Every structure is written in C-alpha cells, then in structure tokens.
Amino acid sequence: MSLFQLFCTFFYIGLFTIGGGVVALTLMQQTIVAKGIITTEQFYNMVAISESTPGPLGINMATYIGFNLYGVWGGIIATIGQVLPSLIIILIIAHFLKKFNQNRFVKGSLAFLRPITTGLILVPALQIFIYSNVNLPAELKDLLNLDAWKVLFNWTNLSGYLFFVILLFNFKIHPILLILLGALFGIVFC
C-alpha cells in the first residue's frame, strides 16, 4: 500500500463514517485487516491504545495505523484522509443548513440513520469483547465437551472486565483512573 493508497483508504473510511469513530472501526477492519495490511491482533491492540489516548477514536486509529505503516508521514497522511471528508461535508452542510433544516426528507433520513449508527457502534464493541474474552475452540463440536467450557473463556480478561464494570457502575470511579488501573491489570495479568 502506497501513501496515496493509504490516503484514499482513510478518505473512504472518513467519507462513510456516519456516527463517529467507533463506526469507523468496522470500516477499518473491513478495509485494512481483511486485506491483510495489519493483523487482527495488531488491530485490536491499536483499538485499545487509541481508546485510552485523548482525542477522537477514529482519528487516533488513523494516525496510529498510518504511523505503524509509514512513520510520521504515514500518520499525517492517514489523519488528513480521515478528517478531510468530514471537513468538506460540514462546510457544505453549514452553507445550506438554513434551507435544509426543516426539510422532511432530511429529518426522515437522519431518523433512519440513528438505528443504523447504533448497530455500527455495537458490532465492533461486541467484536472487541469477544476477541479479548473468549477463546474459540478449533471445532465447534468441542463445545459439547465439558472440559472445553473451561478453556472457552479467557477467565483472566473476563474477570478483569467484570471487575472494572462493577467499579465503574457501583463505585463511580473516574474513567481516567479506570484506564490506568486497566493498563496496570493488563501489564500484571496478561
């Protein structure tokens, strides 16, 4: 993949990302991981790092993937490719906002996009949860074996996940502290 192809790939991702950076994860996975440019493990590691760094997830991922492939220039090119479509679209919308604001077709299309966006956000969240917490056996028939259930889940990661969910919702611990504790948990136990 050349720098121009990298730019075009992230321009495509930025153009069709409706709903934020989490939606971009699905497109990134389909265009970058599926083509073998980076591995699934690299992708999910990049997601974890991008989510724990400040800034929008989609832009962090673009920067990280570009930097991973081509260094600083790759990070800059991928980031510009990711951001440019949104910038162009926002400028066009701002120009015509007053005309389109009350249009029933615009209202209807935005109402239609809400559930689609929710699904696009849910898919990568579930994929990340399954990838980090479930050890899929080589054959599905192994699931009938009771011993297979002992190794089906990554019990360390799953228990850490449940622990941090309890901390977040029951004790109202600040998310930054949870991120730091999660990193420490990963270093010590994984």
Side-chain angles (χ1 to χ4, degrees), residues 79-133:
T79 303
I80 291 171
Q82 178 78 20
V83 172
L84 193 58
S86 298
L87 181 64
I88 292 168
I89 291 169
I90 287 170
L91 291 174
I92 292 169
I93 289 173
H95 181 70
F96 294 106
L97 182 63
K98 290 187 179 182
K99 292 180 183 178
F100 289 118
N101 194 24
Q102 298 302 320
N103 186 312
R104 65 183 177 126
F105 296 113
V106 172
K107 285 183 177 180
S109 63
L110 291 175
F112 178 72
L113 287 174
R114 284 185 197 114
I116 292 171
T117 303
T118 304
L120 288 172
I121 291 170
L122 186 61
V123 167
L126 287 174
Q127 288 175 335
I128 290 169
F129 178 82
I130 290 170
Y131 181 79
S132 59
N133 294 308

CSV table of all heavy atoms in Angstrom, one decimal, residues 79-133:
chain,number,residue,atom,x,y,z
A,79,THR,N,-4.3,10.6,8.8
A,79,THR,CA,-5.1,11.5,9.6
A,79,THR,C,-5.8,12.5,8.7
A,79,THR,O,-7.0,12.8,8.9
A,79,THR,CB,-4.3,12.2,10.7
A,79,THR,OG1,-3.7,11.3,11.5
A,79,THR,CG2,-5.2,13.2,11.5
A,80,ILE,N,-5.1,13.1,7.8
A,80,ILE,CA,-5.7,14.0,6.8
A,80,ILE,C,-6.8,13.3,6.0
A,80,ILE,O,-7.9,13.9,5.8
A,80,ILE,CB,-4.7,14.7,5.9
A,80,ILE,CG1,-3.8,15.6,6.7
A,80,ILE,CG2,-5.3,15.4,4.7
A,80,ILE,CD1,-2.6,16.1,6.0
A,81,GLY,N,-6.5,12.1,5.6
A,81,GLY,CA,-7.5,11.3,4.8
A,81,GLY,C,-8.8,11.1,5.6
A,81,GLY,O,-9.9,11.1,5.1
A,82,GLN,N,-8.6,10.8,6.9
A,82,GLN,CA,-9.7,10.5,7.8
A,82,GLN,C,-10.6,11.8,8.0
A,82,GLN,O,-11.8,11.7,8.1
A,82,GLN,CB,-9.2,9.9,9.1
A,82,GLN,CG,-10.3,9.6,10.1
A,82,GLN,CD,-11.0,8.4,9.8
A,82,GLN,OE1,-10.6,7.5,9.1
A,82,GLN,NE2,-12.2,8.3,10.4
A,83,VAL,N,-9.9,12.9,8.2
A,83,VAL,CA,-10.6,14.1,8.6
A,83,VAL,C,-11.2,14.9,7.4
A,83,VAL,O,-12.3,15.5,7.6
A,83,VAL,CB,-9.6,15.0,9.4
A,83,VAL,CG1,-10.2,16.4,9.7
A,83,VAL,CG2,-9.2,14.3,10.7
A,84,LEU,N,-10.5,14.9,6.3
A,84,LEU,CA,-10.9,15.7,5.2
A,84,LEU,C,-12.4,15.5,4.7
A,84,LEU,O,-13.1,16.5,4.5
A,84,LEU,CB,-9.9,15.5,4.0
A,84,LEU,CG,-10.0,16.5,2.9
A,84,LEU,CD1,-9.8,17.9,3.4
A,84,LEU,CD2,-9.0,16.1,1.8
A,85,PRO,N,-12.9,14.3,4.6
A,85,PRO,CA,-14.3,14.2,4.1
A,85,PRO,C,-15.3,14.9,5.1
A,85,PRO,O,-16.2,15.6,4.7
A,85,PRO,CB,-14.5,12.7,4.1
A,85,PRO,CG,-13.2,12.1,4.0
A,85,PRO,CD,-12.3,13.0,4.7
A,86,SER,N,-15.0,14.7,6.4
A,86,SER,CA,-15.9,15.4,7.4
A,86,SER,C,-15.8,16.9,7.3
A,86,SER,O,-16.9,17.5,7.4
A,86,SER,CB,-15.5,14.9,8.8
A,86,SER,OG,-15.7,13.6,8.9
A,87,LEU,N,-14.7,17.4,7.1
A,87,LEU,CA,-14.5,18.8,7.0
A,87,LEU,C,-15.2,19.4,5.7
A,87,LEU,O,-16.0,20.4,5.8
A,87,LEU,CB,-13.0,19.2,6.9
A,87,LEU,CG,-12.6,20.6,6.7
A,87,LEU,CD1,-13.1,21.4,8.0
A,87,LEU,CD2,-11.2,20.8,6.5
A,88,ILE,N,-15.1,18.7,4.6
A,88,ILE,CA,-15.8,19.1,3.4
A,88,ILE,C,-17.3,19.0,3.6
A,88,ILE,O,-18.0,20.0,3.3
A,88,ILE,CB,-15.4,18.2,2.2
A,88,ILE,CG1,-13.9,18.5,1.9
A,88,ILE,CG2,-16.2,18.4,1.0
A,88,ILE,CD1,-13.3,17.5,0.9
A,89,ILE,N,-17.8,17.9,4.2
A,89,ILE,CA,-19.2,17.8,4.4
A,89,ILE,C,-19.8,18.8,5.3
A,89,ILE,O,-20.9,19.4,5.1
A,89,ILE,CB,-19.5,16.3,4.8
A,89,ILE,CG1,-19.3,15.3,3.7
A,89,ILE,CG2,-21.0,16.2,5.3
A,89,ILE,CD1,-19.3,13.9,4.1
A,90,ILE,N,-19.1,19.1,6.4
A,90,ILE,CA,-19.5,20.1,7.4
A,90,ILE,C,-19.6,21.5,6.7
A,90,ILE,O,-20.5,22.2,7.0
A,90,ILE,CB,-18.6,20.1,8.6
A,90,ILE,CG1,-18.9,18.8,9.4
A,90,ILE,CG2,-18.8,21.3,9.5
A,90,ILE,CD1,-17.9,18.6,10.6
A,91,LEU,N,-18.6,21.8,5.9
A,91,LEU,CA,-18.6,23.1,5.2
A,91,LEU,C,-19.8,23.2,4.3
A,91,LEU,O,-20.5,24.2,4.2
A,91,LEU,CB,-17.3,23.3,4.5
A,91,LEU,CG,-16.1,23.6,5.4
A,91,LEU,CD1,-14.8,23.6,4.5
A,91,LEU,CD2,-16.3,24.8,6.2
A,92,ILE,N,-20.1,22.1,3.6
A,92,ILE,CA,-21.3,22.1,2.7
A,92,ILE,C,-22.6,22.2,3.5
A,92,ILE,O,-23.5,23.0,3.1
A,92,ILE,CB,-21.3,20.8,1.8
A,92,ILE,CG1,-20.1,20.9,0.8
A,92,ILE,CG2,-22.6,20.7,1.1
A,92,ILE,CD1,-19.9,19.6,0.1
A,93,ILE,N,-22.7,21.4,4.6
A,93,ILE,CA,-23.9,21.5,5.4
A,93,ILE,C,-24.1,22.9,6.0
A,93,ILE,O,-25.2,23.4,6.0
A,93,ILE,CB,-23.9,20.4,6.5
A,93,ILE,CG1,-24.0,19.0,5.8
A,93,ILE,CG2,-24.9,20.6,7.5
A,93,ILE,CD1,-23.8,17.8,6.7
A,94,ALA,N,-23.0,23.4,6.5
A,94,ALA,CA,-23.1,24.8,7.1
A,94,ALA,C,-23.6,25.8,6.1
A,94,ALA,O,-24.4,26.7,6.5
A,94,ALA,CB,-21.8,25.2,7.7
A,95,HIS,N,-23.2,25.6,4.9
A,95,HIS,CA,-23.6,26.6,3.9
A,95,HIS,C,-25.1,26.5,3.6
A,95,HIS,O,-25.8,27.5,3.4
A,95,HIS,CB,-22.8,26.3,2.6
A,95,HIS,CG,-23.2,27.3,1.5
A,95,HIS,ND1,-22.8,28.6,1.5
A,95,HIS,CD2,-23.8,27.0,0.3
A,95,HIS,CE1,-23.3,29.2,0.4
A,95,HIS,NE2,-23.9,28.2,-0.4
A,96,PHE,N,-25.7,25.3,3.6
A,96,PHE,CA,-27.1,25.1,3.2
A,96,PHE,C,-28.0,24.8,4.4
A,96,PHE,O,-29.1,24.4,4.3
A,96,PHE,CB,-27.2,23.9,2.2
A,96,PHE,CG,-26.6,24.2,0.9
A,96,PHE,CD1,-25.4,23.7,0.6
A,96,PHE,CD2,-27.2,25.1,0.0
A,96,PHE,CE1,-24.8,23.9,-0.7
A,96,PHE,CE2,-26.6,25.4,-1.2
A,96,PHE,CZ,-25.4,24.8,-1.6
A,97,LEU,N,-27.5,24.9,5.7
A,97,LEU,CA,-28.2,24.5,6.8
A,97,LEU,C,-29.6,25.1,7.0
A,97,LEU,O,-30.6,24.4,7.2
A,97,LEU,CB,-27.4,24.8,8.1
A,97,LEU,CG,-28.0,24.3,9.4
A,97,LEU,CD1,-28.2,22.8,9.4
A,97,LEU,CD2,-27.2,24.7,10.6
A,98,LYS,N,-29.7,26.4,6.8
A,98,LYS,CA,-31.0,27.0,7.0
A,98,LYS,C,-32.0,26.5,6.0
A,98,LYS,O,-33.2,26.4,6.3
A,98,LYS,CB,-30.8,28.5,6.9
A,98,LYS,CG,-30.1,29.1,8.1
A,98,LYS,CD,-30.0,30.6,8.1
A,98,LYS,CE,-29.3,31.0,9.3
A,98,LYS,NZ,-29.2,32.4,9.5
A,99,LYS,N,-31.6,26.2,4.8
A,99,LYS,CA,-32.5,25.7,3.7
A,99,LYS,C,-33.0,24.3,4.1
A,99,LYS,O,-34.2,23.9,3.8
A,99,LYS,CB,-31.9,25.7,2.4
A,99,LYS,CG,-31.6,27.1,1.8
A,99,LYS,CD,-31.0,27.0,0.4
A,99,LYS,CE,-30.7,28.4,-0.1
A,99,LYS,NZ,-30.0,28.4,-1.4
A,100,PHE,N,-32.1,23.5,4.6
A,100,PHE,CA,-32.4,22.1,4.7
A,100,PHE,C,-32.9,21.7,6.1
A,100,PHE,O,-33.4,20.6,6.4
A,100,PHE,CB,-31.2,21.2,4.4
A,100,PHE,CG,-30.8,21.1,3.0
A,100,PHE,CD1,-29.6,21.6,2.6
A,100,PHE,CD2,-31.7,20.6,2.1
A,100,PHE,CE1,-29.3,21.6,1.2
A,100,PHE,CE2,-31.4,20.6,0.7
A,100,PHE,CZ,-30.2,21.0,0.3
A,101,ASN,N,-32.8,22.6,7.1
A,101,ASN,CA,-33.0,22.3,8.5
A,101,ASN,C,-34.4,21.7,8.7
A,101,ASN,O,-34.6,20.8,9.5
A,101,ASN,CB,-32.8,23.5,9.4
A,101,ASN,CG,-32.7,23.2,10.8
A,101,ASN,OD1,-32.4,22.1,11.2
A,101,ASN,ND2,-33.0,24.2,11.6
A,102,GLN,N,-35.4,22.3,8.1
A,102,GLN,CA,-36.8,21.8,8.3
A,102,GLN,C,-37.3,20.9,7.2
A,102,GLN,O,-38.5,20.6,7.2
A,102,GLN,CB,-37.7,23.1,8.4
A,102,GLN,CG,-37.4,24.0,9.6
A,102,GLN,CD,-37.4,23.2,10.9
A,102,GLN,OE1,-38.3,22.4,11.2
A,102,GLN,NE2,-36.5,23.5,11.8
A,103,ASN,N,-36.5,20.5,6.3
A,103,ASN,CA,-36.9,19.7,5.2
A,103,ASN,C,-37.3,18.3,5.7
A,103,ASN,O,-36.5,17.7,6.5
A,103,ASN,CB,-35.8,19.6,4.2
A,103,ASN,CG,-36.1,18.8,2.9
A,103,ASN,OD1,-36.7,17.7,3.0
A,103,ASN,ND2,-35.8,19.4,1.8
A,104,ARG,N,-38.5,17.8,5.3
A,104,ARG,CA,-38.9,16.5,5.9
A,104,ARG,C,-38.1,15.3,5.4
A,104,ARG,O,-37.9,14.3,6.1
A,104,ARG,CB,-40.4,16.2,5.5
A,104,ARG,CG,-40.7,16.1,4.1
A,104,ARG,CD,-42.2,15.9,3.8
A,104,ARG,NE,-42.4,15.9,2.4
A,104,ARG,CZ,-43.1,14.9,1.8
A,104,ARG,NH1,-43.6,13.9,2.6
A,104,ARG,NH2,-43.2,14.9,0.5
A,105,PHE,N,-37.5,15.4,4.2
A,105,PHE,CA,-36.6,14.4,3.7
A,105,PHE,C,-35.3,14.3,4.6
A,105,PHE,O,-34.8,13.2,4.9
A,105,PHE,CB,-36.3,14.6,2.2
A,105,PHE,CG,-37.5,14.4,1.4
A,105,PHE,CD1,-37.9,15.6,0.7
A,105,PHE,CD2,-38.1,13.2,1.2
A,105,PHE,CE1,-39.0,15.5,-0.2
A,105,PHE,CE2,-39.2,13.1,0.4
A,105,PHE,CZ,-39.7,14.2,-0.3
A,106,VAL,N,-34.8,15.5,4.9
A,106,VAL,CA,-33.6,15.5,5.7
A,106,VAL,C,-33.9,14.9,7.1
A,106,VAL,O,-33.1,14.1,7.6
A,106,VAL,CB,-33.0,16.9,5.8
A,106,VAL,CG1,-31.9,17.0,6.8
A,106,VAL,CG2,-32.6,17.4,4.5
A,107,LYS,N,-35.0,15.4,7.7
A,107,LYS,CA,-35.4,14.8,9.0
A,107,LYS,C,-35.6,13.3,9.0
A,107,LYS,O,-35.2,12.6,9.9
A,107,LYS,CB,-36.7,15.5,9.5
A,107,LYS,CG,-36.5,16.9,10.0
A,107,LYS,CD,-37.8,17.5,10.5
A,107,LYS,CE,-37.6,18.8,11.1
A,107,LYS,NZ,-38.9,19.4,11.6
A,108,GLY,N,-36.3,12.9,7.9
A,108,GLY,CA,-36.5,11.4,7.8
A,108,GLY,C,-35.2,10.6,7.6
A,108,GLY,O,-35.1,9.5,8.2
A,109,SER,N,-34.3,11.1,6.8
A,109,SER,CA,-33.0,10.4,6.6
A,109,SER,C,-32.2,10.3,7.9
A,109,SER,O,-31.6,9.3,8.2
A,109,SER,CB,-32.2,11.0,5.4
A,109,SER,OG,-31.9,12.3,5.7
A,110,LEU,N,-32.2,11.4,8.6
A,110,LEU,CA,-31.5,11.4,9.9
A,110,LEU,C,-32.1,10.5,10.9
A,110,LEU,O,-31.4,9.8,11.6
A,110,LEU,CB,-31.4,12.8,10.5
A,110,LEU,CG,-30.5,13.8,9.7
A,110,LEU,CD1,-30.5,15.2,10.3
A,110,LEU,CD2,-29.0,13.3,9.6
A,111,ALA,N,-33.4,10.4,10.9
A,111,ALA,CA,-34.1,9.5,11.8
A,111,ALA,C,-33.8,8.0,11.4
A,111,ALA,O,-33.7,7.2,12.2
A,111,ALA,CB,-35.6,9.7,11.8
A,112,PHE,N,-33.7,7.8,10.1
A,112,PHE,CA,-33.3,6.5,9.6
A,112,PHE,C,-31.9,6.1,9.9
A,112,PHE,O,-31.6,4.9,10.2
A,112,PHE,CB,-33.6,6.4,8.1
A,112,PHE,CG,-33.2,5.1,7.5
A,112,PHE,CD1,-34.0,4.0,7.6
A,112,PHE,CD2,-32.1,5.0,6.7
A,112,PHE,CE1,-33.7,2.8,7.0
A,112,PHE,CE2,-31.8,3.8,6.1
A,112,PHE,CZ,-32.6,2.7,6.3
A,113,LEU,N,-31.0,7.1,10.0
A,113,LEU,CA,-29.6,6.8,10.2
A,113,LEU,C,-29.3,6.4,11.7
A,113,LEU,O,-28.3,5.8,12.0
A,113,LEU,CB,-28.7,8.0,9.8
A,113,LEU,CG,-28.6,8.1,8.3
A,113,LEU,CD1,-27.8,9.4,8.0
A,113,LEU,CD2,-27.8,7.0,7.7
A,114,ARG,N,-30.1,6.9,12.6
A,114,ARG,CA,-29.9,6.6,14.0
A,114,ARG,C,-29.8,5.2,14.4
A,114,ARG,O,-28.8,4.7,15.0
A,114,ARG,CB,-30.9,7.3,14.9
A,114,ARG,CG,-30.7,8.8,15.0
A,114,ARG,CD,-31.7,9.5,15.9
A,114,ARG,NE,-31.7,10.9,15.6
A,114,ARG,CZ,-32.7,11.6,15.2
A,114,ARG,NH1,-33.9,11.0,14.9
A,114,ARG,NH2,-32.6,12.9,14.9
A,115,PRO,N,-30.8,4.3,14.0
A,115,PRO,CA,-30.6,2.9,14.4
A,115,PRO,C,-29.5,2.2,13.6
A,115,PRO,O,-28.8,1.3,14.2
A,115,PRO,CB,-32.0,2.3,14.0
A,115,PRO,CG,-32.6,3.3,13.1
A,115,PRO,CD,-32.0,4.6,13.4
A,116,ILE,N,-29.2,2.6,12.4
A,116,ILE,CA,-28.1,2.1,11.7
A,116,ILE,C,-26.7,2.4,12.4
A,116,ILE,O,-25.9,1.5,12.6
A,116,ILE,CB,-28.0,2.6,10.2
A,116,ILE,CG1,-29.3,2.0,9.5
A,116,ILE,CG2,-26.8,2.2,9.5
A,116,ILE,CD1,-29.5,2.6,8.1
A,117,THR,N,-26.6,3.6,12.8
A,117,THR,CA,-25.4,4.0,13.5
A,117,THR,C,-25.2,3.3,14.8
A,117,THR,O,-24.1,2.8,15.2
A,117,THR,CB,-25.5,5.5,13.8
A,117,THR,OG1,-25.6,6.2,12.5
A,117,THR,CG2,-24.2,6.0,14.5
A,118,THR,N,-26.3,3.0,15.5
A,118,THR,CA,-26.3,2.3,16.7
A,118,THR,C,-25.8,0.9,16.5
A,118,THR,O,-24.9,0.3,17.2
A,118,THR,CB,-27.7,2.2,17.4
A,118,THR,OG1,-28.2,3.5,17.6
A,118,THR,CG2,-27.6,1.4,18.7
A,119,GLY,N,-26.2,0.2,15.4
A,119,GLY,CA,-25.8,-1.1,15.1
A,119,GLY,C,-24.3,-1.1,14.7
A,119,GLY,O,-23.5,-2.0,15.0
A,120,LEU,N,-23.9,-0.1,14.0
A,120,LEU,CA,-22.5,0.0,13.6
A,120,LEU,C,-21.5,0.2,14.8
A,120,LEU,O,-20.4,-0.1,14.7
A,120,LEU,CB,-22.3,1.1,12.5
A,120,LEU,CG,-22.8,0.8,11.1
A,120,LEU,CD1,-22.8,2.1,10.3
A,120,LEU,CD2,-22.1,-0.3,10.5
A,121,ILE,N,-22.1,0.9,15.8
A,121,ILE,CA,-21.3,1.0,17.0
A,121,ILE,C,-21.2,-0.2,17.8
A,121,ILE,O,-20.2,-0.6,18.4
A,121,ILE,CB,-21.8,2.2,17.9
A,121,ILE,CG1,-21.6,3.5,17.1
A,121,ILE,CG2,-21.3,2.2,19.3
A,121,ILE,CD1,-22.3,4.7,17.8
A,122,LEU,N,-22.4,-1.0,17.8
A,122,LEU,CA,-22.5,-2.2,18.6
A,122,LEU,C,-21.6,-3.3,18.1
A,122,LEU,O,-21.0,-4.1,18.9
A,122,LEU,CB,-23.9,-2.7,18.7
A,122,LEU,CG,-24.2,-3.8,19.6
A,122,LEU,CD1,-23.9,-3.5,21.0
A,122,LEU,CD2,-25.7,-4.2,19.5
A,123,VAL,N,-21.5,-3.4,16.8
A,123,VAL,CA,-20.7,-4.5,16.2
A,123,VAL,C,-19.2,-4.5,16.6
A,123,VAL,O,-18.7,-5.6,17.1
A,123,VAL,CB,-20.8,-4.5,14.6
A,123,VAL,CG1,-19.8,-5.4,14.0
A,123,VAL,CG2,-22.2,-4.9,14.2
A,124,PRO,N,-18.5,-3.4,16.4
A,124,PRO,CA,-17.1,-3.5,16.9
A,124,PRO,C,-16.9,-3.7,18.4
A,124,PRO,O,-16.0,-4.3,18.9
A,124,PRO,CB,-16.5,-2.2,16.4
A,124,PRO,CG,-17.6,-1.3,16.0
A,124,PRO,CD,-18.8,-2.2,15.8
A,125,ALA,N,-17.9,-3.1,19.2
A,125,ALA,CA,-17.8,-3.3,20.6
A,125,ALA,C,-18.0,-4.8,21.0
A,125,ALA,O,-17.2,-5.3,21.8
A,125,ALA,CB,-18.9,-2.5,21.3
A,126,LEU,N,-18.9,-5.5,20.3
A,126,LEU,CA,-19.0,-6.9,20.6
A,126,LEU,C,-17.8,-7.7,20.1
A,126,LEU,O,-17.4,-8.6,20.7
A,126,LEU,CB,-20.3,-7.4,20.0
A,126,LEU,CG,-21.6,-7.0,20.6
A,126,LEU,CD1,-22.8,-7.5,19.8
A,126,LEU,CD2,-21.7,-7.6,22.0
A,127,GLN,N,-17.3,-7.3,18.9
A,127,GLN,CA,-16.1,-8.0,18.4
A,127,GLN,C,-14.9,-7.8,19.3
A,127,GLN,O,-14.2,-8.8,19.6
A,127,GLN,CB,-15.8,-7.5,17.0
A,127,GLN,CG,-16.7,-7.9,16.0
A,127,GLN,CD,-16.4,-7.2,14.6
A,127,GLN,OE1,-15.8,-6.2,14.5
A,127,GLN,NE2,-16.9,-7.9,13.6
A,128,ILE,N,-14.7,-6.7,19.9
A,128,ILE,CA,-13.6,-6.4,20.8
A,128,ILE,C,-13.8,-7.2,22.1
A,128,ILE,O,-12.9,-7.9,22.6
A,128,ILE,CB,-13.5,-4.9,21.1
A,128,ILE,CG1,-12.9,-4.2,19.9
A,128,ILE,CG2,-12.5,-4.7,22.3
A,128,ILE,CD1,-13.0,-2.7,20.0
A,129,PHE,N,-15.1,-7.3,22.6
A,129,PHE,CA,-15.4,-8.0,23.8
A,129,PHE,C,-15.1,-9.5,23.6
A,129,PHE,O,-14.4,-10.2,24.4
A,129,PHE,CB,-16.8,-7.8,24.2
A,129,PHE,CG,-17.2,-8.6,25.4
A,129,PHE,CD1,-16.9,-8.2,26.7
A,129,PHE,CD2,-17.9,-9.9,25.3
A,129,PHE,CE1,-17.2,-8.9,27.8
A,129,PHE,CE2,-18.2,-10.6,26.4
A,129,PHE,CZ,-17.9,-10.1,27.7
A,130,ILE,N,-15.6,-10.1,22.5
A,130,ILE,CA,-15.4,-11.5,22.2
A,130,ILE,C,-13.9,-11.8,21.9
A,130,ILE,O,-13.4,-12.8,22.4
A,130,ILE,CB,-16.3,-11.9,21.0
A,130,ILE,CG1,-17.7,-11.9,21.3
A,130,ILE,CG2,-15.9,-13.3,20.4
A,130,ILE,CD1,-18.7,-12.0,20.2
A,131,TYR,N,-13.2,-10.9,21.2
A,131,TYR,CA,-11.8,-11.2,20.9
A,131,TYR,C,-11.0,-11.2,22.1
A,131,TYR,O,-10.1,-12.0,22.2
A,131,TYR,CB,-11.3,-10.1,19.9
A,131,TYR,CG,-9.8,-10.3,19.5
A,131,TYR,CD1,-9.5,-11.3,18.5
A,131,TYR,CD2,-8.8,-9.6,20.1
A,131,TYR,CE1,-8.2,-11.5,18.2
A,131,TYR,CE2,-7.5,-9.8,19.8
A,131,TYR,CZ,-7.2,-10.8,18.8
A,131,TYR,OH,-5.9,-11.0,18.5
A,132,SER,N,-11.3,-10.3,23.1
A,132,SER,CA,-10.4,-10.3,24.3
A,132,SER,C,-10.9,-11.2,25.4
A,132,SER,O,-10.1,-11.4,26.3
A,132,SER,CB,-10.3,-8.8,24.8
A,132,SER,OG,-11.6,-8.4,25.1
A,133,ASN,N,-12.1,-11.7,25.4
A,133,ASN,CA,-12.6,-12.5,26.5
A,133,ASN,C,-12.9,-14.0,26.1
A,133,ASN,O,-13.2,-14.7,27.0
A,133,ASN,CB,-13.8,-11.8,27.1
A,133,ASN,CG,-13.4,-10.5,27.8
A,133,ASN,OD1,-12.5,-10.5,28.6
A,133,ASN,ND2,-14.1,-9.5,27.4
